[in-house]
Amino acid sequence: MTDTPAPTATRRTAVVLTVAALVLAVDQATKYWAESALAGRPPVQVVGDFLQFRLLYNPGAAFSIGTGSTWVFTVLAAIAAVVLLRLATQPQTPSRAIALALLLGGAVTHLLDRLFRAPGFARGHVVDFIDYNGFFVGNVADIALFAGAVLFVVLTFRSDREAERASQGEKAEDEKTAEN
């Protein structure tokens, strides 16, 4: 016997890494565009005031929380990337693997921002440019993180319900068998 993974495991890992790399590439490309096209400009309306492009550099987390603790977010992003990569290489349904890939891609691209963007190593600011009516300014990685998290939660609740139904079905079968 060899220690080579089954083709399905290899394929799943390849899909996860491909989706994560795609998120990373699109996010970094759009950030490059935002920095070159939006620097020094007023907000660009896309859908009225509801959706605009506006360049910001975020040293904190969502909603600029923890702006003085950028290094903490660097460490958390690194831990998240390692944990998500580990989870994504474990047996998963295809849908759950995609959710993990979206989360992994978002975590890695934010980690790279923290590591390599100004003002310096492990203190870098995340480039945000998609303004949602002044409520939140984010980027493509944030969209991937949100979509991955929602998908993961939905799949978790769905699998919990399916497990509960299966358990109830087994219980009913056991009761039927006990009556006979």
Side-chain angles (χ1 to χ4, degrees), residues 24-161:
L24 182 121
V26 171
D27 180 69
Q28 291 298 314
T30 56
K31 287 175 180 174
Y32 175 80
W33 168 82
E35 287 185 305
S36 62
L38 301 174
R41 290 186 61 186
V44 176
Q45 292 187 340
V46 178
V47 180
D49 287 336
F50 180 73
L51 186 68
Q52 301 177 34
F53 291 146
R54 177 168 61 110
L55 182 64
L56 296 175
Y57 294 93
N58 185 356
F63 306 105
S64 295
I65 295 170
T67 57
S69 303
T70 301
W71 69 271
V72 172
F73 298 115
T74 304
V75 171
L76 291 175
I79 291 169
V82 169
V83 169
L84 288 165
L85 182 60
R86 174 84 173 131
L87 282 173
T89 59
Q90 301 301 311
Q92 303 287 343
T93 64
S95 299
R96 186 166 278 189
I98 295 299
L100 290 169
L102 291 169
L103 291 168
L104 177 62
V108 169
T109 194
H110 277 184
L111 175 61
L112 293 176
D113 283 356
R114 300 280 181 206
L115 289 175
F116 300 114
R117 288 195 183 272
F121 185 76
R123 297 178 293 117
H125 297 178
V126 173
V127 176
D128 289 332
F129 64 94
I130 305 170
D131 185 337
Y132 301 94
N133 201 29
F135 175 68
F136 176 77
V137 182
N139 53 49
V140 172
D142 295 330
I143 295 167
L145 286 165
F146 180 78
V150 168
L151 180 58
F152 192 82
V153 168
V154 166
L155 293 170
T156 299
F157 282 128
R158 191 176 82 187
S159 67
D160 286 349
R161 281 197 322 253

